[in-house]
Structure formats: structure tokens, C-alpha cells
Amino acid sequence: MYDVIIIGGGPAGLTAGLYASRLGAKTLLLEKLTPGGQITLSSEIENYPGVCDVKSGLELMMCWPAQAQKFGCEIKSEEAVKVQKENSHFIVKTPKNEYKSKTLIIATGSTPKKAGFEGEIEYTGKGVSYCAVCDGFFYKDKIVAVIGGGDTALEEALYLSKIAKKVYLIHRRDKFRAAPVTQKKVFETENIEIIFNATVKKVFGNQFVEGIILNLNGEEKELKVDGVFVFVGMKVNNELVKDLVELNEWGEVKVNLKMETSQKGLYAAGDIRENSVKQVVAAAGDGATAAINALKYIEKEEL
């Protein structure tokens, strides 16, 4: 029996593991992939407090798992496939094992959404990508398109502009949603061409992507590109707890300021919870808050 089980090994989950174990709780963190979360795909992190040098997401997260383990947090590379509540305890099942805990912290985050254009699935890995850091190297001195208008899309367009010969930045609206400082950098980058009021209708090619068809103000326009990078938002990974907790209209888990959900003993932290600002520092704060309050809950229940 664990005091705390954490599902998800991103900034929220790892911070929860660090705090819970450091406070003396028997803690288990389950992560199906390599610990670090979505932020490891980010090319540049320049706004994490106390980290003065620009780092990649991978570099920023490098020591977080070891730091949590130093205080006794167990980290296992197993995928949680089912969560249920039995009396006052939680049961978490993986393909290999079954674990029990007094409290549960869900920090499963979110995954990139598909843009929905024709050929997107077929050409994924053949010119369609959702990670500039992972795949940008393959497009050195080539032409690429970036789809999206938020912070991630613009940041990745800037990253790709240092590798590719030309970057088309395609957004369905007439203005971006990204931070003003990021927008300024994009507007000042010579090899980024912005195309507003456009959506991608189709990607085409033979074995690999050779171009895209845009719907631009009601007319079709063809662009020759070697790669397409999609950054149109994230899908909340709520499948494990959607029947246990209250969700909002976007599928995000409703929480209070203690990160408590509608289910006693179950906490949500990071991008999965409602009103998340989707920043590493905020996710880390969520994880610490959830862990501290989970232990207060255990103490209160055991009195």
C-alpha cells in the first residue's frame, strides 16, 4: 500500500513525487514513457525562474527524476490502464501489476491535437510532424510549413527558422494568440512568411510530403513544402479518471485551490486540470500543492 500514487512523469508529476517523498510518504510515480513530459519536446525555455541560460526542454528536465528518487520516490516505466476507487483506497492497474494507494495524483497532461487535413495521418512521420525539436534537423535548408497561432506554434516556427531555408506560418485567424514578445520575434524574422486567414486542406506527395493545398480566403493555393509541423492545441488525457471526477466542457478536471477534485483523495495537477496556464513553473507548483494536500488528507483521515 502506497501513501501516494502519481500517474504522469512531467513537471507536475515529478514535483509531486519529490514533495510527497521528501515529506515522508511512500510514493510511486508511474510513467509510460521517459519521465519529463511534453516539455522535453520544446526547443527553448527562457522563462523558468532561476534558470538564467536558455535551455531546451530536455535539458531543463534532465535531473528532475533523479531529484525525486533521491528522496525515495519510486519511478516505474509502466502505463496505468485503469483506475478505480475501492472503499477509501485507489487501485491502479498496469499491464504488469496492480498497485494500491491512499491517495492519487493524476498528472497525465495533454497530447497534440490533429489539424484534420487530408493526408495528415498517412504522412505522419513522412513529412508531417508534431515536434520541431525531434524532426527539425531533417529539414536543414529546406522549406517547411508551421500550422497554428499560439505560443507553441510561433516558438517552434522561430526554432525552425534557424534550420530551414524558409518557414510558412499558417494561421486560420487574422491575428495570433501568442505572447507579444514572441510575435515580435516572428515578425522580425526574415525567413518566416506569415499567411493569415488560411487552413490546410490537403497534404500531398509520393513517399514523402511535397506540398500542401491551402484554403485561403475561399480560394485554393498550392505551396511546395518539404515538411508540415502541426501545433493547433492539445487534447486532455483524462481517460483514466473521466468517470471518477467532475470535468468541465473541455474535458479538463475541475479542481479547487488545493488541487482537490470532486473525488475525495484524488488530486489533479498540470495541464490536465482546468484553467491551467500550461507553463512548466505552474505545473511544478500544481504538483507541490497536490502532494502537500494529499498528505494533509491522509493525516486527517487517519486521526
Side-chain angles (χ1 to χ4, degrees), residues 38 52 81 85 89 99 127 151 160 168 179 185 187 198 218 222 251:
Q38 285 286 335
C52 299
V81 295
K85 185 131 186 229
H89 300 143
Y99 302 101
D151 285 298
L160 288 165
Y168 290 107
K185 289 180 182 178
F187 289 131
E222 181 178 313

Side-chain angles (χ1 to χ4, degrees), residues 248-266:
N248 67 14
E249 60 185 304
W250 297 286
E252 298 164 335
V253 178
K254 289 189 173 185
V255 296
N256 60 19
L257 292 176
K258 296 179 179 180
M259 300 300 133
E260 293 173 328
T261 69
S262 57
Q263 181 71 248
K264 288 182 65 176
L266 201 160

Side-chain angles (χ1 to χ4, degrees), residues 30-275:
L30 299 172
E31 168 56 56
K32 63 180 179 179
L33 302 173
T34 303
Q38 285 286 335
I39 195 61
T40 58
L41 304 180
S42 183
S43 56
E44 292 185 356
I45 306 294
E46 60 182 6
N47 59 351
Y48 195 85
V51 180
C52 299
D53 297 327
V54 176
K55 292 181 178 289
S56 70
L58 187 62
E59 289 172 329
L60 180 68
M61 298 304 299
M62 193 73 72
C63 72
W64 289 37
Q67 190 180 18
Q69 289 172 317
K70 181 175 73 173
F71 294 109
C73 178
E74 293 181 51
I75 299 178
K76 295 189 178 183
S77 298
E78 296 182 36
E79 180 181 7
V81 295
K82 187 176 182 180
V83 171
Q84 63 189 72
K85 185 131 186 229
E86 188 175 277
N87 300 319
S88 61
H89 300 143
F90 293 92
I91 298 175
V92 180
K93 295 182 180 180
T94 75
K96 298 179 181 179
N97 297 296
E98 179 176 297
Y99 302 101
K100 292 183 179 181
S101 71
K102 299 172 184 177
T103 61
L104 178 68
I105 297 174
I106 186 81
T108 45
S110 54
T111 52
K113 287 182 179 177
K114 301 290 188 290
F117 53 81
E118 185 180 339
E120 181 175 10
I121 304 300
E122 292 85 344
Y123 283 96
T124 295
K126 301 176 181 178
V128 173
S129 174
Y130 303 87
C131 176
V133 178
C134 309
D135 301 325
F137 173 80
F138 300 111
Y139 299 92
K140 184 173 175 60
D141 298 325
K142 295 185 177 182
I143 300 173
V144 299
V146 171
I147 303 171
D151 285 298
T152 301
L154 271 65
E155 287 166 4
E156 300 310 297
L158 286 167
Y159 172 76
L160 288 165
S161 72
K162 300 172 186 176
I163 301 170
K165 179 170 65 175
K166 185 180 183 68
V167 178
Y168 290 107
L169 180 54
I170 301 163
H171 185 40
R172 60 180 179 171
R173 297 190 174 94
D174 60 358
K175 59 183 177 181
F176 295 124
R177 295 173 285 109
V181 65
T182 308
Q183 292 191 44
K184 185 174 185 294
K185 289 180 182 178
V186 165
F187 289 131
E188 292 175 350
T189 302
E190 290 184 2
N191 65 334
I192 295 180
E193 180 178 334
I194 299 165
I195 304 177
F196 285 123
N197 299 310
T199 57
V200 176
K201 180 180 179 181
K202 179 182 179 181
V203 62
F204 64 87
N206 290 314
Q207 188 175 356
F208 297 95
V209 168
E210 296 177 6
I212 54 177
I213 303 293
L214 294 182
N215 185 336
L216 180 61
N217 296 317
E219 296 183 1
E220 288 190 359
K221 179 179 180 179
E222 181 178 313
L223 290 179
K224 294 291 186 181
V225 300
D226 302 292
V228 181
F229 290 84
V230 181
F231 305 105
V232 294
M234 308 297 286
K235 174 184 175 294
V236 181
N237 297 325
N238 62 16
E239 291 82 5
L240 287 171
V241 296
K242 64 182 180 181
D243 296 324
L244 288 175
V245 299
E246 189 177 352
L247 307 175
N248 67 14
E249 60 185 304
W250 297 286
E252 298 164 335
V253 178
K254 289 189 173 185
V255 296
N256 60 19
L257 292 176
K258 296 179 179 180
M259 300 300 133
E260 293 173 328
T261 69
S262 57
Q263 181 71 248
K264 288 182 65 176
L266 201 160
Y267 299 78
D271 290 3
I272 191 173
R273 63 99 165 170
E274 67 174 347
N275 297 323

